[in-house]
Amino acid sequence: MPTNVTPQYRKLEEQYRRASDPEERLRLLQEMMAEIPKHKGTEHVRADLKRKMSELRSQLSVKKGPSSRQTSAFHIEREGAGQVVVVGMTNVGKSSLVRALTAAQPEVSPAPFTTWEPVPGMMLIENVQVQLVDTPPLNEDYVRPELFQLIRQADLVALMIDLQAFPIEQYETSLRLLEERKIVPAPYQERYRETHPDRTGMAFIPTLVLASKVDDEALDEDFAVLEELLETDLPLLPISALTLRHVDRFKAQVFDMLGIVRVYAKPPGKEPDFSAPFVLYRGDTVEVFAAQIHRDLAKNLKAARVWGKGVYDGQTVSRVYELQDGDVVELRT
Ligand SMILES: Nc1nc2c(ncn2[C@@H]2O[C@H](COP(=O)(O)OP(=O)(O)OP(=O)(O)O)[C@@H](O)[C@H]2O)c(=O)[nH]1
Ligand SMILES: [Mg+2]
C-alpha cells in the first residue's frame, strides 16, 4: 500500500476488508478509487482497485443472471472494454447517437420522453468494442432510481446537451440532478471534498460532455461560442448523430478516458494476431497480461519480450513492466 494515502482512504480500506456483501464491497472500492490521488506513484494501486472492481462486477452480474430471476431492464450486463452511459435531458439525441454508432435500435422521436428503459449497444473503436448505453431522460419530476444505479456503476458518463436548445441550462440542470443523487463528475471531486466533508455514498464518475446536433459547419461556429461560454472542467466535444460529424473525436476521447491499452500476444516463432487485441488498462503490467491469458501463465512467468513504443524491438522486460498501447508481447515461462 502506498504511504501517501489519505486517512479517509485508510478508513475505506478498513471497511472494505470487513465488508462481505459484494455490492457493499464494490461501493467501497469505488469510493477508494475516488479518494486515491492520481499520479504515477499510485498507478499500481489504482490498477489493482480496477481489477477488483471488475471482478466484483462480473460476480454481481452472474449472481443476477436469469437463475435469480432478476429481470430489471436497468441492469445492463457490462460487455467489451468499458461501459459508457449516454445521459441527458429529453430530446437531446441520446437514442439517435446510440442508433448511429451501434447496431442497437432504440426508438427516436421528436416528441419528448421517448425512451423509458436503457438500451445497450456495442460501439467499435478501431479494433476494440465498447458498450454504449442509451438511457431514459433526466428530468425534474421523477426518474427511476435504477437509472442512477446504472450511472454509478458505469465506467464513463457521456453527458449530452443539445446545441440547438439551451445547452448551458441543460448542462447545469443535468449536473444538479445527478448531484442530488450523489453522482459527481470525477474532476469535481476535490472541490466537492471542500464543500461536503461527509461524502458517504458519493460516486465520482469520469464524465465527458457531448454537445449534440452539430450537423454542419455553421453549427461548428455555434459550438465555438458554447465552448467560450460553458464553464466546465470536463472535456466538451461536438457531435452529430445525423451527419456523423466529429464521431471520431468522440471515440478517441472515450478510448483515452477508459484508459484502454491494447496488447497483442505473440506465440514464440509466430506472428501476433493484430485483429484480436487483449484489452488492458493504463498501468497494467506484463504479469496482468499473462494472467488474462491463463492464471498459471502468470504464476510461471519468467520474463517477456516486447515490441512497441517504449522499448527496442524484442527487448526483454520483467513481469512488472507496464505495457503500452500497441505492444506485442512474447511470454516466457
Ligand atoms: N439535426 C439533428 N437532429 C437530431 C440529432 N440527433 C437527434 N436529433 C433529433 O432530436 C430528436 C430527439 O432525438 P432522440 O434521439 O429521440 O432524443 P433522446 O435524447 O433519446 O430523447 P428521450 O428518449 O426523450 O430522452 C429527434 O427528432 C431526432 O431526430 C442530430 O444529430 N441532428
Ligand atoms: Mg431516447
Side-chain angles (χ1 to χ4, degrees):
M1 196 183 72
T3 47
N4 55 354
V5 298
T6 60
Q8 174 68 9
Y9 182 91
R10 283 180 203 282
K11 205 172 113 193
L12 290 167
E13 194 178 41
E14 190 51 42
Q15 288 175 356
Y16 168 76
R17 284 216 192 91
R18 276 187 262 122
S20 56
D21 174 47
E23 282 190 27
E24 172 75 359
R25 282 168 75 87
L26 179 60
R27 188 183 65 75
L28 288 163
L29 286 173
Q30 281 169 337
E31 288 188 29
M32 283 156 76
M33 189 63 144
E35 189 64 34
I36 200 157
K38 280 202 174 128
H39 55 68
K40 194 88 190 146
T42 61
E43 263 181 14
H44 287 291
V45 186
R46 282 183 286 133
D48 188 49
L49 287 176
K50 267 199 171 168
R51 206 157 24 253
K52 285 182 182 148
M53 279 166 26
S54 82
E55 267 173 34
L56 276 172
R57 283 194 184 113
S58 46
Q59 255 185 41
L60 284 168
S61 50
V62 170
K63 246 176 66 183
K64 287 182 176 170
S67 60
S68 65
R69 299 207 176 276
Q70 160 106 26
T71 52
S72 166
F74 282 78
H75 179 80
I76 306 284
E77 194 116 343
R78 295 170 93 250
E79 274 185 72
Q83 188 180 63
V84 182
V85 289
V86 185
V87 175
M89 309 299 288
T90 185
N91 264 349
V92 294
K94 301 177 294 299
S95 303
S96 300
L97 187 72
V98 173
R99 254 183 112 96
L101 300 185
T102 75
Q105 298 285 304
E107 193 186 341
V108 164
S109 152
F113 300 104
T114 304
T115 305
W116 284 89
E117 290 183 337
V119 177
M122 297 309 288
M123 167 172 79
L124 195 61
I125 307 180
E126 293 184 22
N127 52 0
V128 175
Q129 297 274 3
V130 167
Q131 190 180 46
L132 200 60
V133 186
D134 181 28
T135 64
L138 296 174
N139 76 85
E140 299 276 6
D141 302 326
Y142 177 75
V143 178
R144 294 262 299 264
E146 298 101 307
L147 173 63
F148 298 104
Q149 199 50 40
L150 173 67
I151 299 172
R152 283 171 160 268
Q153 300 201 352
D155 297 307
L156 181 63
V157 169
L159 178 62
M160 187 177 270
I161 55 180
D162 182 344
L163 184 72
Q164 303 185 18
F166 309 106
I168 296 178
E169 201 179 301
Q170 285 180 351
Y171 171 82
E172 286 166 0
T173 308
S174 302
L175 280 196
R176 176 170 52 75
L177 293 172
L178 290 171
E179 190 189 318
E180 281 170 12
R181 308 308 295 253
K182 299 195 166 205
I183 298 168
V184 170
Y188 291 118
Q189 190 185 328
E190 287 300 318
R191 209 166 306 165
Y192 199 83
R193 185 196 303 267
E194 284 157 22
T195 47
H196 300 71
D198 177 21
R199 280 167 292 121
T200 319
M202 293 302 300
F204 300 95
I205 312 289
T207 304
L208 62 84
V209 183
L210 280 178
S212 65
K213 310 189 188 178
V214 187
D215 298 335
D216 55 35
E217 273 163 34
L219 291 155
D220 275 349
E221 283 169 33
D222 291 357
F223 175 75
V225 173
L226 174 67
E227 249 181 332
E228 293 260 306
L229 295 179
L230 188 70
E231 287 176 12
T232 181
D233 291 348
L234 308 175
L236 170 64
L237 304 166
I239 200 147
S240 169
L242 190 68
T243 60
L244 297 182
R245 290 178 85 234
H246 306 301
V247 158
D248 289 345
R249 249 173 96 179
F250 169 59
K251 289 188 177 186
Q253 185 74 32
V254 168
F255 192 92
D256 182 57
M257 289 179 82
L258 289 176
I260 295 171
V261 170
R262 288 163 300 179
V263 175
Y264 303 91
K266 180 178 165 0
K270 289 192 195 144
E271 286 306 305
D273 177 359
F274 284 108
S275 68
F278 285 81
V279 173
L280 305 181
Y281 298 94
R282 234 173 266 143
D284 278 351
T285 58
V286 167
E287 200 168 41
V288 174
F289 170 59
Q292 219 185 74
I293 298 179
H294 196 281
R295 206 174 272 274
D296 291 342
L297 204 51
K299 241 188 279 164
N300 302 330
L301 186 69
K302 298 238 162 45
R305 294 179 72 198
V306 177
W307 289 256
K309 287 176 208 134
V311 289
Y312 60 78
D313 273 359
Q315 184 173 331
T316 300
V317 298
S318 77
R319 54 196 302 141
V320 295
Y321 177 76
E322 285 178 18
L323 293 164
Q324 297 189 23
D325 187 43
D327 278 355
V328 170
V329 184
E330 184 182 285
L331 298 170
R332 291 185 178 172
T333 51

